[in-house]
Amino acid sequence: MTAASNFRQKTHFMKSWKPQRPPSNRDRLELYALHKQSVSGDAPTSDPPSASVADKAKLTAWRSKMGLSQQEAMEAYVVECERQVQLYGTRDDGSRSSAGGGGGNSGIGATTSSSQQQQQNNNQQQQQQQQQSSGAPASSQSTPMYHSTTPQNTPAAQNNSNNNNNDDGVLLCPRGLAAIPLLCAAASESRSAYLARLQVTHPSNGWWAKQEPLCLEVNNPLSIPEKLIIGIACQIERISLVVSEYMGHGQAVSLLSPRVLQAFLWPVHNVFLSIWILWILVCTYLGSMVSMSQTLLFGAKRTNTPLGRLFLEEILPAARAVESLCEQHQTISVRMSGLALMPMMILCDVANGVVGRLGILVGSVVFVGMGACGWWYWLCVLPWLAVCSVCLAVMSGWCFGLIELSGN
């Protein structure tokens, strides 16, 4: 069977596929980008002046596939579809999800009225119709958005520019929260696995060299702190990769194995992953505060950002993401980041409780007010903790370097 036949068959299957768990935003965008590259070729190099946040996210994903031939893109699309089907499973038509039960008596999840639920169902049906044009998986209608720790409603199909409600499902941070589980998995890499990976990685093909800002557009000045985190970690990784050219048997420094220096830098690598996770969550929190303040001042019609949507898609998922960082299976650096962000989770949960008792308007005011009162923590304490964690990583790196040296 040719690549085109496989592609058409897989596209037809994905139109009707209903996963057991909603795919992440990143996976949805990956399918969209590969489908567009297969059908339309390379993406335009510039964004349209009227492009929305969702349009820009999709164009960025599409541009990441630039240079792939039609056959390569089709083959990559088929492989990605199979990976997502295996990862998220397939929901039986006769089964019913029980995720909507046990929501409690407080907060956004428990105060959604029947009319709001009907509106959500209508929006999900519209999403499924849009997703069929790009072969993206259809969302499970029986799973409410607010029970998911990762926002699931970044559209993966073409937008209708004439529809004023077109951006109702657009996330303010479409990739940041979805990437946190992947970054946690990367931080859990053991020292032996890290050293083995460096042995087979070319200096120009490092993991950090492939990363880009997740919270904001690359050309946005506010993305400079995130680019700085990635840039420093990239240089540290590059040192770990090129050191084998100067250390080891037959090299300039023959007494030491390159694994000694690489083991020394391994804790630093993990700490920068944790700092990146911390930045994503703080950026999401502060961005939600700004958007909520604008909506309170100018109204949802002007900002196109309803208060309830901010709680459902940004604030509550961010709080649950912080909670997941403190789970026992996480590495110590990730768990420390979770502990440092505990005040953020508490503020989000308190504001959500106020919403359940006094309404969305009062809860939003409480959220913005408490966040503004804690400006010193976000702008002073957290950066200081990040610097201290890097210093601790350097000091602990000596221990791992000595362990590696004694093993030689």
Side-chain angles (χ1 to χ4, degrees), residues 247 256-265 401-402 404-405 408:
M247 297 176 64
L256 289 178
S257 169
R259 293 171 62 90
V260 175
L261 182 58
Q262 291 169 349
F264 168 76
L265 294 175
L402 291 174
E404 194 65 34
L405 180 62
N408 295 331

Side-chain angles (χ1 to χ4, degrees), residues 29 32 52-62 154 174-175 217:
L29 288 172
Y32 170 82
S52 64
V53 177
D55 293 331
K56 292 179 180 179
K58 291 186 289 183
L59 282 170
T60 301
W62 184 7
T154 296
R175 296 188 298 168
E217 295 292 335

Side-chain angles (χ1 to χ4, degrees), residues 39 102 135 335 347 350:
V39 174
R335 294 172 71 178
L347 293 182
V350 168

Side-chain angles (χ1 to χ4, degrees), residues 10-26:
K10 191 61 68 174
T11 301
H12 178 73
F13 169 77
M14 295 302 285
K15 289 179 181 179
S16 58
W17 175 51
K18 293 184 178 180
Q20 292 179 349
R21 296 182 296 111
S24 67
N25 298 316
R26 183 166 235 172

Side-chain angles (χ1 to χ4, degrees), residues 111-190:
T111 58
T112 303
S113 64
S114 59
S115 60
Q116 289 174 326
Q117 188 66 36
Q118 182 63 33
Q119 181 64 32
Q120 288 180 2
N121 293 336
N122 293 336
N123 291 338
Q124 290 175 348
Q125 292 175 0
Q126 293 175 2
Q127 279 185 5
Q128 289 180 352
Q129 295 174 358
Q130 291 177 342
Q131 288 165 347
Q132 289 180 357
S133 65
S134 65
S139 298
S140 174
Q141 294 183 16
S142 60
T143 304
M145 289 190 306
Y146 48 79
H147 283 283
S148 175
T149 56
T150 301
Q152 304 298 339
N153 59 344
T154 296
Q158 296 178 2
N159 282 342
N160 182 1
S161 59
N162 296 327
N163 187 358
N164 294 332
N165 297 328
N166 192 36
D167 293 335
D168 284 349
V170 177
L171 293 177
L172 303 180
C173 184
R175 296 188 298 168
L177 291 176
I180 287 179
L182 301 177
L183 296 179
C184 291
S188 65
E189 185 179 33
S190 64

Side-chain angles (χ1 to χ4, degrees), residues 36-316:
K36 290 292 291 183
Q37 187 70 20
S38 301
V39 174
S40 305
D42 289 342
T45 56
S46 59
D47 296 339
S50 59
S52 64
V53 177
D55 293 331
K56 292 179 180 179
K58 291 186 289 183
L59 282 170
T60 301
W62 184 7
R63 291 192 193 105
S64 68
K65 311 303 176 186
M66 187 172 293
L68 285 178
S69 65
Q70 186 180 33
Q71 182 174 354
E72 291 173 339
M74 288 181 177
E75 293 174 351
Y77 178 84
V78 171
V79 172
E80 179 63 21
C81 288
E82 293 174 350
R83 185 192 71 84
Q84 293 195 24
V85 170
Q86 184 178 5
L87 177 63
Y88 297 107
T90 302
R91 182 171 62 89
D92 295 333
D93 292 337
S95 65
R96 299 188 60 176
S97 174
S98 60
N105 297 323
S106 63
I108 283 290
T111 58
T112 303
S113 64
S114 59
S115 60
Q116 289 174 326
Q117 188 66 36
Q118 182 63 33
Q119 181 64 32
Q120 288 180 2
N121 293 336
N122 293 336
N123 291 338
Q124 290 175 348
Q125 292 175 0
Q126 293 175 2
Q127 279 185 5
Q128 289 180 352
Q129 295 174 358
Q130 291 177 342
Q131 288 165 347
Q132 289 180 357
S133 65
S134 65
S139 298
S140 174
Q141 294 183 16
S142 60
T143 304
M145 289 190 306
Y146 48 79
H147 283 283
S148 175
T149 56
T150 301
Q152 304 298 339
N153 59 344
T154 296
Q158 296 178 2
N159 282 342
N160 182 1
S161 59
N162 296 327
N163 187 358
N164 294 332
N165 297 328
N166 192 36
D167 293 335
D168 284 349
V170 177
L171 293 177
L172 303 180
C173 184
R175 296 188 298 168
L177 291 176
I180 287 179
L182 301 177
L183 296 179
C184 291
S188 65
E189 185 179 33
S190 64
R191 178 168 57 91
S192 58
Y194 175 76
L195 296 177
R197 178 171 61 85
L198 293 183
Q199 296 299 317
V200 297
T201 303
H202 191 270
S204 62
N205 195 36
W207 185 85
W208 280 102
K210 301 176 183 178
Q211 307 309 310
E212 62 180 13
L214 297 174
C215 295
L216 298 168
E217 295 292 335
V218 177
N219 56 357
N220 192 321
L222 295 178
S223 67
I224 292 177
E226 191 173 7
K227 289 191 288 188
L228 184 64
I229 294 171
I230 297 174
I232 295 175
C234 181
Q235 294 303 317
I236 294 173
E237 183 184 49
R238 184 171 180 81
I239 294 174
S240 299
L241 291 171
V242 302
V243 70
S244 58
E245 300 178 3
Y246 303 97
M247 297 176 64
H249 182 70
Q251 303 297 336
V253 183
S254 58
L255 296 178
L256 289 178
S257 169
R259 293 171 62 90
V260 175
L261 182 58
Q262 291 169 349
F264 168 76
L265 294 175
W266 170 65
V268 182
H269 162 77
N270 285 342
V271 163
F272 269 94
L273 281 170
S274 302
I275 293 175
W276 194 9
I277 294 172
L278 187 146
W279 169 256
I280 290 173
L281 288 166
V282 171
C283 188
T284 301
Y285 179 80
L286 296 180
S288 299
M289 280 182 53
V290 172
S291 298
M292 191 167 288
S293 301
Q294 293 174 342
T295 301
L296 289 172
L297 292 174
F298 305 111
K301 290 185 177 180
R302 179 173 296 183
T303 61
N304 196 27
T305 310
L307 298 176
R309 201 185 82 189
L310 281 171
F311 271 95
L312 289 173
E313 301 174 4
E314 291 274 347
I315 298 172
L316 297 183

